[in-house]
Amino acid sequence: MKIINTVKDMQLEARDIIKSSQTHGFVPTMGNLHEGHLSLIRKAAEENDVVSVSIFVNPSQFEDPADLEEYPRTVEDDIEAASEAGADIIFLPEAEDMYSERRDTVVLPNKLTEHLCGLSRGKAHFIGVCTVVAKLFNIFLPSKAYFGQKDAQQALIIQRMVIDLNFPVEIVISPIIREEDGLAMSSRNARIKEGRRESALSLYRALNIGREMIEKQGIETSSEIINAMAESILENDGVEIDYIDIVSTETLEDAEKVDDVVMIAGAIRLDDDLRLIDNILTAPGGK
Ligand code: AMP
């Protein structure tokens, strides 16, 4: 396993991989790796000759400096876990190497940012994500890149970017990995305080209420489903709803009526500081 620290060295390595006609799977992460990340690395290892993982807490996608500051950094453990899951290369760049002081260019996603997290986190978040992923694609030149359905809007925006800007890479989206109790794995879960687990789980429980109403009860009116979900979340003290929405899986526009496959997506804020997101795909009668 190789550890590479500079953009220049990674670009040289990427060119060698292409010259040797090997397939190259790439998994971008911000570190603090858990089973969700490792599932992507394992899948990449099954499908490619060489697997690269980037660990870079990208400052430009954080709208809140405190969130960036508090983001967990566990590089030593990450290197071991990624290597065990099948990573051949781990890229650990410095922010100064990734971003020149005189940087002046970004990738600007549009319509897909006007929903869900784009409304609460702002467009700047997705500009930061697209710009860093575009840079990473140019650094790694991967044949396939792996993303999680956990960040469904991000995955869709990146898929769109790859088509719109003709990046020669296939995007693979993998299912959400959950804890035993159903909580979607996330680096932010480490910040759930003692005694607050049930409240953190309220979003996943609400998603299941929505699913049940759509799949078993045949309810089609989204507002009715969203109201029931919101009511169940708000039974928990200290939980605020950022958004709950039922949307098209292709455009992320609101689905007023559920007559096809939809995504139910939500974000909650726990005790005023921790923001958790989750989503499920569902359809009348089951997916
Ligand atoms: P992050 O380090 O949070 O930027 O995540 C890196 C990648 O891992 C993204 O493509 C995420 O969607 C994915 N990921 C994060 N959590 C999970 C999870 N619980 N299940 C599947 N993929 C995940």
Side-chain angles (χ1 to χ4, degrees), residues 123-137:
K123 203 177 178 116
H125 167 68
F126 287 114
I127 295 173
V129 169
C130 281
T131 304
V132 80
V133 172
K135 286 161 70 66
L136 291 168
F137 285 172

Side-chain angles (χ1 to χ4, degrees), residues 38-168:
L38 300 180
S39 73
L40 302 182
I41 299 172
R42 287 192 199 105
K43 192 166 173 66
E46 274 167 32
E47 297 182 352
N48 298 275
D49 300 323
V50 179
V51 175
S52 294
V53 175
S54 64
I55 299 179
F56 178 56
V57 184
N58 174 36
S60 74
Q61 72 189 68
F62 284 81
E63 61 283 7
D64 174 4
D67 195 23
L68 172 63
E69 185 71 23
E70 280 169 39
Y71 203 84
R73 289 160 172 89
T74 51
V75 173
E76 295 306 317
D77 290 348
D78 291 350
I79 292 172
E80 200 180 317
S83 155
E84 263 173 35
D88 302 297
I89 295 170
I90 300 185
F91 179 51
L92 298 166
E94 297 292 336
E96 297 73 35
D97 190 21
M98 286 291 284
Y99 292 108
S100 140
E101 252 180 61
R102 288 163 57 194
R103 66 183 174 279
D104 194 33
T105 310
V106 293
V107 177
L108 178 69
N110 274 309
K111 285 206 199 93
L112 288 171
T113 68
E114 291 164 5
H115 313 277
L116 310 179
C117 291
L119 294 179
S120 47
R121 297 192 71 168
K123 203 177 178 116
H125 167 68
F126 287 114
I127 295 173
V129 169
C130 281
T131 304
V132 80
V133 172
K135 286 161 70 66
L136 291 168
F137 285 172
N138 284 332
I139 295 167
F140 283 81
L141 308 173
S143 17
K144 291 188 180 182
Y146 296 79
F147 293 86
Q149 174 67 18
K150 162 87 190 329
D151 299 279
Q153 185 172 18
Q154 166 178 288
L156 204 61
I157 288 173
I158 284 166
Q159 253 178 345
R160 189 72 250 159
M161 175 186 85
V162 160
I163 295 167
D164 290 348
L165 301 184
N166 301 94
F167 281 97

